[in-house]
Every structure is written in C-alpha cells, then in structure tokens.
C-alpha cells in the first residue's frame, strides 16, 4: 500500500494542526460531528432540490461508536459520502474545504446569488477540522461510499508521513471515521474517549444542537422481571443531542415553564430566572439570542473569580463558553447565549477572526437588555426592585466606570431610598416632584438607611420640606459625582458647604457671627493639631451641636471607602475635614465662656466635640481609651 504525500506543505501544516491550532483536544469530536452533519446537509439539499433521491430528513443519523477493548472511536454518517477523487481532494489537501465549496456553489447559481433552502446549514469553512482527529489518534481510517455510487474507498493515515487510498467493501452510503486512539500517558488519558458518559458530556456541550440525531449505544440497568433487588444490564440506542435549539423556535411555541427549565438545566440554577429575554435580529449580522436575568446574584458575583459572558454558538455548534465581549460589565449578571451563522471564525473555530460582527451583536444585545429592564421598571415595579437589590450595585459601577461614558444609558435604571416617600424611587420620580424653589437634588451618604436618617446634616433640608435620597452603597457617591446632574438639576450632598437654602439676610447674619468669633474658631482649629482644615459655624445644623463636612473632592464617605479597599496604600487617604459647630446650641455659649476663662479646658472640649462628630459619621476614632478618659474627667468636674 503506497503512501501518498499530503499537498500544501503537508508536514509543516499538519504538524501545526495537531499541536498548535486547537486549545483543547476534546474539540476533535465537535469537528468530526460537524463534518458528518455537513455531509448529511449536502445530501439533504439534493433531496430538497431535485426530489429524486427518495430521502427525507428522518432518514439521516450520525452515530458515535466507542470500543474500549480495541481502544477505538468511530463516527459514522449516512450523508452524501465521498468518491475517490473527493477523498483525494478533501483529505489529501489540507485546508481545502469541500463543505465551503458546496456552500459557495449552493449560493451561486447561473451567476445569481441564491439563499438556498433555509433548512440547510453548512458548518465547515476551512477544511482543517478533520485533522484535529490526529490530536488524539495515532492512526485514522476513513471509509466512504458516495451517494449513487457502486464503489467504496478507504483513506488511511498515521499523520505527517502521508496517506493511502484503496478500494474497500462498504454496503451503505456515507462515511465512517475510525480513530485508533493514542495510548494513555501520565498527562493524557485518551481512553476517556471510549467512555460513554464522557462522550455524552462532550456531545451535549459542543454538538447538542446539530440538526440530525447523534446516536450511541449506552449500557443501562433495570430491575429484572419479578424481582425486587436483582438488576440486569441492557443496551439502549440513545439519542445524545437535543437537535432543535429552544432559541430557534417561535416564542409563541414555547411556554415559560420550558424557558425556566432550559435555564435551570443550562446554567445549573435551582431558581427560576427573574426575566427571560428571547430575541431574533436580522441585518448586517443575523443572530438568535436567549438571555436570562437570574433571580439572585451568584455567590461569587462581586468577586474577581466571577466570569461574565454569553455562550457563543455558530449554527448551533458551541464556539465559546463565555464570550465576555457580548456583554458590557454593567450587564454582566445576564446569562444566556447567542447563535449566529454570520460569524467569521478563525481556523480553529474557537474564536473570531475579527470583532466587527461581534460588536454589532453586542450593541443589539445591550439595547435589548436595557429596554427589557426599562419595561420591568415601568410595568412590574416589585420585580424590578428585587432585581435592583441583587444587581443595582453593578449598574452603579457602570455609571462610574470609563469616566462616566455610560451614565446616560444607566441613570434612569437607578433606584434610591427616599426620605419622604420611605421607599425606593427613580431620579425621574424625584425630579418630577421637586418644589419650584428647590435648586438641587439632595442626597446623603451612610452605612445604612437608619444611620443616614439620623445624620445631623439632614435637618435643615428636611425643615425646608425637601426630599433627600439616601445612598448606602460604597460606590454611590463616586457614581453621583460622575453623574453631576440629572435633567439639568445638580446633585448636592447635605454635607456640602452651600446647600442653597440661606437667604441673603441669613448669610449676612452668619458672616457677622463668624467675624465676632473668628479668634475662638482659630483657637479651636489649632487645638485640634491638624485633624481638621477648619472650624466654622454651621448653617445646616438645627438641634445637634456639631457635625463634620469636608473641603475638596474627597468626602468622608469616599475616604472610608478608599481606605477599606484591599489594595489601599499604607498612607491612608485623608479628606480635608471641617468641624462645624451649631451657633444656636447651648454648647456654643459654653465654648465662648471657656475661651474667656479656661483655654486648657476648651481644648479638651474641642477634642470631645471632634470625636463626637467622627462617631456620628461612622468613622473609627484613633484613641477610644483617651476618649473614655476625657468623658470621665468631664463627669467628675
């Protein structure tokens, strides 16, 4: 049996195929099954177009035949088969795709571009998938008989040395690919590809939606007749694949229970999804998408271990398990898949040659998710609030990320607790009920709603009857700073210097009081030894004696967040703290008296008031023991 040499720089190219092109060895099964599907599609196309074959779709099948004893795996189909010439051309020339040529011929007829029957989908493009078999095989035999031919031919090869083509006996049309698997090593267990469970798993993972049945004999057990505890084994010819993808069915043919079950099976969740999104898009890129919003956040969602992305299919064949490029980070909670026949795949069919098509799909997917969330917010507020409780933080991160480039997309999806409504509200709802004289959207930050509700800084805003948004997530103030405005209304923290509430007369009176007490205020500032950048008389306090505010870009909340990060610098971030004193509180008169009579005691009062302000803000104090001693000294005086 004379060996023939491969064409197209055989040894170099085949060696590259075997060792470099594919990431995972298990991919070979996907490639061989896809080739079998293509062979059936070619014959099915002939059956549809000339009507003389006497065949219909139910006549076609792909079989997987493992043999543990012989250490072989065989994949067969009853498709179009190959002549001797086709075996030479398709298998003897690496990187020549018979499927691609057929696809091009099918689309070009008499110089006119034809779409062809929509029930035919050719997967192969490059003519290299077959050679992935050599990643797991030491010898490959292909036996084939073309449809309508009386002859059968056998192609054999052990790799780069060459191949042979000889006549053989084969009764039925189609092709069988026989893999003599490599022996097991310490690193590679090639025998796994004769294990029925492992093969079922691989078919389910990569080829579940091949349009023809993939069958395999599977050994099972059952109770013997008239026996309660004795079992017998039997063999069942089991269909391994689903064949028709759920996402390619019409929506009106699918129940919500079917959607839910598919989600739970596919993504290993025990709860039904909160939202199902089923879409089909045509245009520059045609694709199907089936996406879900989970009812709860995965345990690792807000960790570095979480991987975002949708499954990517091409003609029902899995290309990528998690394609991150299909989802923006702020929608990373979405799970699901995209299936398109228009993708330009690379030679290994594991990635894309270029990302233009992917970007077009991602844009459509993003708009669809956004519109579905808007619809949920408008029509099912209770469900949306549950969703926001789980994933609202991710939307807020999206507002802040990339210098706020996505803020306009996300701002209407945000919810915040309202001081007046006592529930979650949107920014649109807040602005829609603002009072005519209200200049700003007021907000307050803290660790919890209860804590924010008790902040001294909120008193003046409340007295004016203005609504305050409570922001309790660490990212909130960063996101709001990035938003800056909503509907041309500026955001303003209740801790800001100017709340826009004082009349001109009140401002003049405050300035006069500051001037009268400027020496004492300077003394208080100096006694705190750099802990504050200033001590001022507050315009926002009503019943409380003191509070803290800040100068500059860093607020007290931002300081806490930045210093709590895992990679925070040893030199902690420090906001420019300002101690505000209520000039209408009895404590202020006491301070004035001490400034005249006992400055040492005044220093101790200043320290106590500063520590009190820190505790109100929820900031850890530097020396709890000293604070306790100061209180004790005060109590015995």
């Amino acid at each position: 049996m004379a060996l023939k040499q491969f064409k197209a720089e055989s040894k170099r190219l085949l060696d590259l195929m075997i060792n470099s092109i594919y990431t995972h060895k298990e991919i070979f099964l996907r490639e061989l099954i896809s080739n079998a599907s293509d062979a059936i599609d070619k014959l099915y196309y002939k059956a549809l177009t000339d009507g003389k074959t006497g065949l219909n779709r139910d006549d076609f099948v792909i079989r997987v035949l493992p043999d543990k004893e012989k250490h072989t795996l065989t994949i067969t189909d009853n498709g179009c088969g190959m002549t001797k010439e086709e075996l030479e051309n398709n298998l003897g020339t690496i990187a020549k795709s018979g499927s691609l040529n057929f696809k091009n011929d099918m689309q070009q007829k008499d110089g006119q571009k034809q779409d062809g029957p929509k029930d035919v989908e050719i997967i192969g493009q490059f003519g290299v998938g077959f050679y992935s078999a050599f990643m797991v095989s030491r010898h490959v035999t292909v036996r084939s008989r073309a449809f309508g031919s009386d002859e059968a031919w056998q192609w054999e090869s052990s790799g780069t040395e060459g191949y042979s083509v000889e006549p053989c006996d084969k009764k039925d049309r189609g092709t069988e690919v026989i893999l003599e698997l490599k022996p097991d090593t310490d690193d590679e267990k090639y025998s796994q590809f004769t294990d029925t469970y492992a093969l079922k798993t691989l078919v389910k993972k990569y080829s579940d939606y091949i349009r023809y049945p993939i069958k395999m004999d599977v050994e099972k057990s059952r109770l013997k007749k008239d026996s309660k505890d004795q079992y017998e084994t039997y063999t069942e010819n089991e269909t391994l694949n689903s064949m028709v993808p759920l996402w390619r069915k019409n929506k009106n043919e699918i129940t919500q229970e079917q959607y839910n079950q598919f989600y739970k099976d596919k993504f290993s969740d025990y709860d039904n999804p909160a939202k199902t999104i089923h879409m089909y898009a045509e245009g520059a890129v045609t694709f199907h998408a089936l996406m879900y919003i989970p009812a709860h956040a995965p345990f690792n969602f807000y960790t570095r271990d979480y991987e975002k992305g949708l499954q990517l299919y091409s003609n029902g064949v899995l290309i990528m398990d998690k394609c991150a490029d299909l989802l923006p980070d702020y929608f990373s909670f979405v799970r699901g898949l995209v299936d398109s026949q228009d993708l330009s795949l690379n030679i290994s069919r594991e990635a894309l040659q270029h990302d233009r098509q992917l970007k077009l799909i991602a844009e459509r997917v993003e708009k669809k998710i956004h519109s579905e969330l808007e619809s949920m917010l408008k029509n099912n507020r209770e469900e949306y609030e549950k969703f926001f409780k789980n994933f609202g933080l991710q939307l807020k991160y999206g507002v802040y990320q990339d210098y706020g480039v996505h803020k306009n997309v996300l701002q209407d999806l945000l919810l915040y607790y309202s001081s007046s409504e006592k529930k979650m509200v949107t920014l649109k709802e807040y602005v829609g009920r603002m009072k005519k004289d209200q200049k700003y959207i007021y907000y307050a930050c803290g660790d919890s709603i209860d804590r924010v509700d008790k902040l001294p800084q909120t008193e003046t805003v409340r007295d004016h009857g203005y609504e305050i948004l409570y922001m309790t997530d660490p990212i909130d103030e960063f996101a709001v700073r990035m938003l800056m405005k909503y509907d041309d209304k500026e955001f303003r923290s209740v801790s800001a210097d100017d709340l826009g509430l004082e009349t001109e007369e009140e401002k003049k009176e405050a300035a006069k009081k500051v001037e009268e007490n400027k020496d004492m205020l300077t003394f208080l500032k100096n006694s705190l030894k750099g802990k504050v950048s200033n001590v001022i008389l507050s315009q926002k306090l009503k019943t409380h004696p003191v509070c803290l505010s800040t100068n500059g870009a860093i607020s007290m909340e931002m300081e806490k967040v930045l210093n709590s990060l895992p990679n925070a610098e040893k030199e902690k971030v420090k906001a420019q703290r300002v101690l505000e004193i209520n000039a209408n509180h009895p404590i202020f008169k006491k301070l004035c008296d001490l400034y005249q009579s006992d400055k040492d005691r005044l220093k101790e009062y200043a320290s106590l008031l500063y520590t009190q302000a820190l505790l109100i803000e929820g900031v850890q104090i530097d020396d709890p023991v000293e604070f306790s001693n100061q209180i004790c000294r005060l109590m015995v005086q």
Side-chain angles (χ1 to χ4, degrees):
M1 187 168 56
L3 282 180
K4 298 183 180 182
Q5 291 298 308
F6 285 111
K7 301 174 185 177
E9 297 181 314
S10 59
K11 291 186 179 181
R12 178 178 171 82
L13 188 52
L14 185 54
D15 184 66
L16 182 67
M17 284 297 311
I18 296 171
N19 299 308
S20 303
I21 295 295
Y22 292 94
T23 307
H24 305 291
K25 286 184 168 61
E26 65 188 30
I27 293 295
F28 83 92
L29 187 60
R30 179 193 75 181
E31 296 299 318
L32 296 181
I33 289 175
S34 295
N35 287 347
S37 176
D38 285 349
I40 293 174
D41 259 332
K42 293 171 190 176
L43 185 53
Y44 183 44
Y45 175 77
K46 183 177 179 63
L48 289 174
T49 52
D50 68 14
K52 297 178 182 179
T53 63
L55 298 170
N56 59 59
R57 185 166 176 173
D58 294 336
D59 295 324
F60 299 113
V61 65
I62 299 168
R63 298 189 184 278
V64 178
L65 308 168
D67 189 323
K68 288 188 177 182
E69 291 185 5
K70 293 182 179 179
H71 198 54
T72 63
L73 177 65
T74 303
I75 293 90
T76 75
D77 67 75
N78 58 353
C80 63
M82 287 178 280
T83 64
K84 179 183 180 183
E85 182 182 7
E86 287 170 331
L87 279 171
E88 291 269 10
N89 290 337
N90 296 338
L91 303 187
T93 305
I94 302 172
K96 180 175 180 179
S97 172
S99 294
L100 182 60
N101 291 339
F102 177 82
K103 186 175 183 179
N104 292 336
D105 291 342
M106 187 174 69
Q107 292 178 340
Q108 302 291 335
K109 192 172 184 180
D110 298 327
Q112 301 293 320
K113 184 175 177 62
Q114 304 289 327
D115 290 333
K118 295 187 180 300
D119 205 22
V120 175
E121 294 176 349
I122 299 299
I123 301 168
Q125 296 184 57
F126 296 102
V128 297
F130 166 78
Y131 301 96
S132 63
F134 287 102
M135 292 192 297
V136 299
S137 309
R138 59 184 177 183
H139 190 82
V140 177
T141 301
V142 179
R143 295 163 52 84
S144 191
R145 179 174 175 175
F147 175 76
S149 173
D150 295 329
E151 297 179 328
W153 295 90
Q154 180 168 298
W155 180 98
E156 287 188 77
S157 176
S158 296
T160 57
E161 295 305 317
Y163 66 93
S164 65
V165 180
E166 301 287 343
C168 70
D169 292 325
K170 188 177 189 306
K171 294 182 180 180
D172 302 318
R173 72 172 190 274
T175 301
E176 59 182 30
V177 181
I178 305 162
L179 310 182
E180 295 180 31
L181 299 170
K182 294 178 180 179
D184 286 348
T185 67
D186 291 339
D187 297 325
E188 299 287 353
K189 301 299 179 185
Y190 297 100
S191 57
Q192 66 175 306
F193 300 121
T194 63
D195 180 77
T196 54
Y197 178 78
L199 292 169
K200 285 172 64 175
T201 302
L202 290 179
V203 170
K204 201 73 178 171
K205 179 178 180 180
Y206 291 108
S207 307
D208 196 30
Y209 306 110
I210 291 292
R211 300 175 325 113
Y212 305 101
I214 303 170
K215 293 181 175 287
M216 180 172 65
D217 288 340
V218 178
E219 193 175 84
K220 297 186 176 183
S221 62
R222 62 190 172 195
L223 278 172
K224 288 184 176 180
K225 287 184 178 181
D226 303 323
S227 174
K228 293 182 179 180
D229 55 4
Q230 290 186 326
Y231 287 82
E232 62 181 1
T233 59
Y234 69 101
T235 300
E236 180 180 295
N237 192 227
E238 184 177 331
T239 299
L240 308 181
N241 58 324
S242 304
M243 288 182 282
V244 181
L246 186 71
W247 59 86
R248 290 200 175 190
K249 294 182 179 179
N250 292 327
K251 295 179 185 179
N252 56 14
E253 298 176 358
I254 309 171
T255 65
Q256 188 57 52
E257 288 74 19
Q258 288 174 313
Y259 278 128
N260 292 347
Q261 193 59 51
F262 179 86
Y263 167 76
K264 289 190 281 191
D265 292 343
K266 191 77 169 172
F267 301 104
S268 304
D269 200 345
Y270 51 85
D271 281 335
N272 290 331
K275 184 75 175 177
T276 300
I277 305 171
H278 189 176
M279 68 179 292
Y280 172 69
E282 290 183 301
V285 180
T286 299
F287 68 92
H288 297 261
L290 180 55
M291 299 173 288
Y292 297 91
I293 297 174
H296 56 84
F299 72 94
N300 64 340
F301 182 68
Y302 290 107
T303 71
R304 291 181 180 179
D305 295 333
Y306 180 79
E307 291 183 69
K308 70 164 186 171
L310 301 177
Q311 289 186 333
L312 182 61
Y313 286 80
S314 177
N315 281 327
V317 177
L318 181 65
I319 303 303
M320 221 179 292
D321 191 46
K322 288 188 178 176
C323 184
D325 292 336
L326 286 172
L327 286 175
D329 284 345
Y330 45 84
F331 290 155
S332 61
F333 48 82
V334 175
R335 308 180 81 172
L337 54 90
V338 165
D339 185 5
S340 175
Q341 61 187 10
D342 294 337
L343 299 175
S344 297
L345 303 176
N346 73 354
I347 197 169
S348 69
R349 218 153 50 194
E350 293 176 316
L352 301 175
Q353 287 182 294
H354 52 80
D355 61 0
R356 184 181 65 83
Q357 297 148 322
L358 209 62
K359 285 180 179 178
L360 290 173
I361 295 174
E363 287 171 5
R364 296 289 294 273
V365 164
E366 179 186 358
K367 287 178 181 177
K368 183 63 174 177
I369 296 170
H370 186 273
S371 68
E372 291 290 333
L373 290 175
E374 281 189 322
S375 175
M376 191 195 300
L377 174 59
K378 180 180 179 181
N379 301 316
N380 196 340
R381 184 61 170 260
E382 183 179 352
E383 284 301 311
Y384 186 82
E385 289 189 14
K386 289 179 183 176
F387 152 77
F388 196 81
K389 184 177 180 181
N390 284 312
F391 302 111
L393 186 60
Q394 194 66 19
L395 300 183
K396 294 173 183 178
Y397 277 120
V399 170
Y400 177 71
Q401 285 173 333
D402 301 325
Y403 305 98
V405 70
H406 310 294
K407 64 182 181 181
N408 292 332
V409 175
L410 298 172
Q411 60 186 3
D412 285 319
L413 298 176
L414 302 178
L415 294 179
Y416 295 102
Y417 185 84
S418 162
S419 63
S420 59
E421 297 295 308
K422 304 300 180 185
K423 64 181 182 180
M424 302 295 282
V425 302
T426 66
L427 296 176
K428 186 176 183 179
E429 290 166 346
Y430 179 102
V431 171
R433 56 175 171 261
M434 282 176 64
K435 297 189 175 185
K436 290 184 179 180
D437 60 343
Q438 185 176 342
K439 298 179 182 178
Y440 306 115
I441 300 172
Y442 293 105
Y443 69 91
C445 296
D447 296 335
S448 65
I449 289 172
D450 185 61
R451 193 153 200 159
V452 175
D453 207 42
K454 296 175 182 177
L455 285 176
Q457 297 93 316
T458 63
E459 288 184 312
T460 298
V461 179
R462 290 174 188 275
D463 284 354
H464 280 76
Y466 295 152
E467 188 176 2
I468 305 171
L469 297 177
Y470 290 3
M471 301 190 174
T472 56
D473 283 326
I475 192 64
D476 276 331
E477 194 158 16
F478 295 90
V480 165
R481 296 283 184 93
M482 197 61 71
L483 281 173
M484 294 186 288
K485 293 182 179 181
Y486 179 84
D487 197 18
D488 211 33
K489 299 291 184 180
E490 184 183 336
F491 288 90
R492 185 61 58 94
S493 170
V494 296
S495 298
D497 292 339
D498 181 13
L499 296 177
L501 303 176
E502 300 86 5
T503 64
E504 289 301 318
E505 186 176 334
E506 288 172 335
K507 288 179 180 179
K508 288 180 181 179
E509 182 63 28
K512 180 181 177 182
K513 190 167 285 190
V514 168
E515 181 63 27
E516 291 172 352
N517 295 280
K518 65 178 183 180
D519 291 340
M520 184 193 70
L521 296 173
T522 300
F523 178 85
L524 292 172
K525 172 189 169 183
N526 293 335
S527 70
L528 290 173
K529 299 178 181 178
K531 293 178 180 178
V532 296
S533 62
N534 204 1
V535 178
I536 63 172
L537 299 182
S538 180
Q539 303 301 308
K540 59 175 73 81
L541 294 173
K542 289 290 184 179
T543 62
H544 290 78
V546 292
C547 72
L548 278 178
S549 60
T550 58
N551 284 326
I554 306 296
S555 68
M556 292 298 298
E557 270 313 299
M558 294 170 79
E559 175 190 298
K560 285 191 287 184
V561 172
L562 292 171
N563 287 333
S564 67
L565 295 175
N567 58 347
E569 300 291 335
K570 291 182 180 179
E571 188 68 32
K572 296 293 185 181
V573 174
K574 197 84 169 180
Q576 295 185 44
R577 300 173 181 179
V578 175
L579 181 64
E580 298 193 22
I581 300 175
N582 184 355
N584 298 315
H585 194 279
I587 195 70
F588 181 70
K589 186 177 183 307
K590 183 67 174 179
L591 296 176
C592 292
D593 291 343
L594 289 175
Y595 182 67
Q596 300 298 327
S597 61
D598 191 345
K599 287 187 173 59
D600 286 339
R601 194 172 171 193
L602 179 60
K603 289 181 181 180
E604 191 145 334
Y605 269 54
S607 178
L608 281 169
L609 289 172
Y610 173 69
T611 306
Q612 179 185 347
L614 288 175
L615 292 172
I616 290 171
E617 287 291 331
V619 178
Q620 186 175 357
I621 59 179
D622 295 332
D623 194 343
V625 174
E626 176 57 24
F627 177 59
S628 175
N629 290 338
Q630 285 177 330
I631 292 175
C632 291
R633 288 195 294 269
L634 181 64
M635 292 173 69
V636 298
Q637 287 176 357

